[in-house]
Amino acid sequence: MALSAPTIDAARRMLERARCATADLAELRLDHLTEASALLDANSAVFAALCRLVRERPLPLILTLRPEEEGGRCSFALADRARFWGQLRAHGAMPEFIDLELELVEALRADDLGWSSVICSHHDLLGAMEDLDALYERMARTPARIIKIAVTAHDALDCLPLFRLLERAQRERRELIAIAMGTGGIATRLLAHGAFLTYASLERGGGTAPGQVWIEDLIESYRLRSIERRTPLYGVIGAPIGHSLSPAMHNRALIEAGLRGVYVPFETGDGRAFIRRLLHPQTREVDWHWRGLSVTAPHKESVIECMDELDEVAQRTGAVNTVVVRGRELHGYNTDVEGFLAPLRGLLDLAGARAAVIGAGGAARAAAWALRRAGAEVVLFARSPERARLLARAFELDVARLAGARFSSFDLVVNTTPLGTRGAHEDGSPVDAEQLRGARIAYDMVYNPPETRFIRQARQVGCRTVGGLHMLVEQAAWQFELWTGRSAPRQAMLEAARQALSERSARDE
């Protein structure tokens, strides 16, 4: 548990909360204290309060005084930091562990610091270093018991050197903490088998470094304590990936079904390289026990060439959103189509129905093909008809200009554009209310927020509405069934998705 507190009293309260949250130990960032400068004075009230806190700590403790050059807030010179640790030791207030930067460890290596409690650390906030082995070897030459290397991952592929380093440390029987900060590095917080520890945040969306996972999610959703080297692994790739509800849905589904496994988000800009280097059984560089992968934007089309076999829907739509690992092969599927159709069953007989699809991207392609296969007459509406003509030719669709269009003659109007999405296009809608008047059903594939402007406009003029959340759950349920051969707990997945959306909305406000 990584803790940031403005005062010693606040730190004490946080340590109690960390104990109640079942953390094994807590790291207290002393450089985050408002009066951190007073720590240099052994006669100050702040120093005395810290000593009392250490002696009375409710759980094992790591103390850290991170300098600015490694991402901290401490402006003390190296000599001042060395003096602080010496004073703390002289007052008999040493915790289980202290985190010292490599430069400080090398300067103090001749001193009697109690090296079995020292974490020798290095932090790089700019990116992933090219030669981590050389850094590791330099740190291994110090008397510190534990080595910590934290870099920044802009892509999940940046984590590969850290996983290789963990394997080396295990062979050499060295205790190592290997962390990649940022959204791209979450795998190092969940799948770093053999690492000495991982860090969690006390608050959802909080933490002392980018990418820290809330402790409740870490323990209850990801089930960190039960993850082993042979734990079945599932995941999702995309860019960006932080908005994805898939981890919440699939981890809840695994728990409800009583299955071992963990589902992890991987942010990557190169889906093909990810599949080649981390997923495909014949070429992957880390020995993980993969069972399946979800694929989201912008990789659904590019990963097709990485598949050993494709189902008919993936072939016809030109997009893969689900990968199943079978033996030494990857099988690609598209569950978006079935997910799209499921909420319409019981609402509309698609055979002979007139359907308007707004948009011309990948989502429009899946929706149009699904509707055509079900027997609907489909018209594609786009701001620029020229952009839609390639898709129209592929599925023999009519194309119409969106500006000024009226949908009163349509049984179904589908928004496949991102307009209305929270955080990016939330106030947008591809049409106005009057355009929708007279249509029977309005279907928005946007799921966050659950009620978009498009949905509100449709209700205003009497349309029946379908939101994107049910489609999201259905496509995920089909993924789960492909991977596990078990019936998906759809209601639990829907509840998990709604809870995640609610929590994000509360944070945004």
Side-chain angles (χ1 to χ4, degrees):
M1 175 78 72
L3 304 178
S4 168
T7 66
I8 297 297
D9 283 343
R12 187 184 301 275
R13 292 191 293 271
M14 282 187 169
L15 287 171
E16 275 299 330
R17 289 177 59 198
R19 182 185 64 80
C20 294
T22 69
D24 297 311
L25 69 164
E27 178 194 49
L28 179 58
R29 289 287 299 272
L30 298 177
D31 52 298
H32 286 203
L33 292 172
T34 303
E35 299 184 27
S37 58
L39 293 173
L40 291 182
D41 182 0
N43 296 314
S44 71
V46 175
F47 186 86
L50 174 62
C51 291
R52 285 195 300 273
L53 177 67
V54 172
R55 296 188 191 109
E56 299 167 1
R57 58 193 179 275
L59 76 169
L61 187 61
I62 303 170
L63 288 184
T64 302
L65 188 62
R66 183 86 63 233
E68 292 174 341
E69 57 267 26
E70 294 209 17
R73 301 179 186 176
C74 171
S75 58
F76 300 164
L78 186 145
D80 290 331
R81 301 201 307 275
R83 179 159 59 88
F84 163 74
W85 294 113
Q87 290 174 170
L88 204 64
R89 187 170 188 80
H91 282 73
M94 292 295 279
E96 282 74 14
F97 300 100
I98 59 174
D99 184 322
L100 306 181
E101 300 71 38
L102 173 58
E103 184 183 22
L104 182 55
V105 169
E106 290 178 330
L108 297 175
R109 64 185 309 150
D111 296 351
D112 180 15
L113 260 186
W115 292 105
S116 63
S117 67
V118 173
I119 299 171
C120 177
S121 65
H122 175 86
H123 300 77
D124 190 332
L125 274 70
L126 297 179
M129 295 183 58
E130 291 186 3
D131 195 352
L132 289 182
D133 281 300
L135 174 64
Y136 167 84
E137 290 162 6
R138 178 183 166 190
M139 300 174 85
R141 289 193 291 270
T142 72
R145 169 187 161 190
I146 303 159
I147 296 170
K148 176 187 176 185
I149 296 176
V151 298
T152 298
H154 301 295
D155 190 288
L157 294 170
D158 294 338
C159 300
L160 276 167
L162 288 176
F163 288 117
R164 286 194 289 267
L165 203 59
L166 276 165
E167 293 175 356
R168 176 180 176 180
Q170 287 185 283
R171 290 195 303 270
E172 297 175 0
R173 299 183 181 278
R174 290 299 310 240
E175 291 177 300
L176 175 65
I177 302 166
I179 295 290
M181 297 176 284
T183 309
I186 191 172
T188 64
R189 301 183 184 276
L190 299 170
L191 304 175
H193 306 300
F196 181 71
L197 59 78
T198 191
Y199 296 84
S201 65
L202 186 59
E203 307 285 352
R204 183 185 290 279
T208 59
Q212 283 178 2
V213 181
W214 183 35
I215 189 168
E216 189 170 319
D217 280 346
L218 202 67
I219 293 174
E220 295 185 10
S221 181
Y222 290 108
R223 296 185 285 178
L224 178 72
R225 298 193 193 283
S226 65
I227 296 177
E228 301 171 341
R229 189 171 295 277
R230 299 303 291 171
T231 294
L233 177 60
Y234 309 86
V236 57
I237 59 170
I241 203 64
H243 69 283
S244 176
L245 300 182
S246 294
M249 290 190 294
H250 282 294
N251 282 316
R252 178 75 64 85
L254 290 167
I255 293 169
E256 288 289 323
L259 296 174
R260 292 177 65 238
V262 62
Y263 185 101
V264 178
F266 297 88
E267 182 159 306
T268 180
D270 192 335
R272 287 171 295 188
F274 181 95
I275 287 175
R276 184 179 69 253
R277 302 185 64 188
L278 279 168
L279 179 68
H280 203 294
Q282 299 183 43
T283 57
R284 63 189 177 209
E285 299 173 27
V286 182
D287 187 24
W288 288 335
H289 196 41
W290 279 104
R291 293 287 181 82
L293 183 72
S294 306
V295 182
T296 189
H299 305 308
K300 292 183 182 183
E301 297 175 3
S302 65
V303 301
I304 283 182
E305 65 184 63
C306 304
M307 300 299 107
D308 297 295
E309 187 172 313
L310 292 173
D311 79 334
E312 179 194 1
V313 183
Q315 291 180 40
R316 293 298 305 273
T317 60
V320 164
N321 80 316
T322 307
V323 182
V324 179
V325 182
R326 293 203 178 106
R328 294 179 59 77
E329 292 185 342
L330 300 183
H331 292 227
Y333 296 83
N334 187 307
T335 68
D336 284 333
V337 166
E338 187 57 39
F340 170 79
L341 291 173
L344 292 172
R345 293 196 176 97
L347 293 181
L348 179 65
D349 181 0
L350 289 171
R354 295 199 74 224
V357 174
I358 302 172
R365 187 178 185 91
W369 189 79
L371 293 167
R372 285 283 286 161
R373 188 179 67 165
E377 175 190 339
V378 181
V379 180
L380 199 63
F381 287 82
R383 292 185 184 278
S384 172
E386 292 73 22
R387 183 183 173 196
R389 295 200 190 284
L390 184 63
L391 173 57
R393 284 197 296 271
F395 296 151
E396 299 180 349
L397 309 176
D398 291 327
V399 178
R401 188 174 294 278
L402 182 60
R406 291 291 185 269
F407 299 101
S408 57
S409 63
F410 286 90
D411 299 294
L412 175 67
V413 182
V414 184
N415 173 37
T416 72
T417 77
L419 290 173
T421 303
R422 186 184 299 280
H425 313 280
E426 192 165 353
D427 294 329
S429 174
V431 295
D432 60 38
E434 283 305 312
Q435 288 178 276
L436 290 170
R437 188 181 296 278
R440 286 180 59 190
I441 299 172
Y443 188 156
D444 198 341
M445 293 175 69
V446 172
Y447 61 83
N448 184 17
E451 184 174 279
T452 61
R453 183 179 177 188
F454 177 85
I455 292 292
R456 290 194 300 272
Q457 290 172 328
R459 285 185 180 151
Q460 178 185 330
V461 294
C463 301
R464 193 161 185 177
T465 60
V466 177
L469 192 58
H470 286 276
M471 173 188 171
L472 182 75
V473 171
E474 282 294 331
Q475 62 82 30
W478 279 91
Q479 292 180 327
F480 182 87
E481 291 171 1
L482 283 168
W483 294 330
T484 68
R486 301 276 291 272
S487 178
R490 284 170 167 78
Q491 187 58 37
M493 296 173 79
L494 178 59
E495 290 171 1
R498 283 175 171 162
Q499 180 181 346
L501 281 176
S502 176
E503 290 169 350
R504 290 177 190 180
S505 177
R507 286 203 310 274
D508 291 344
E509 292 175 359

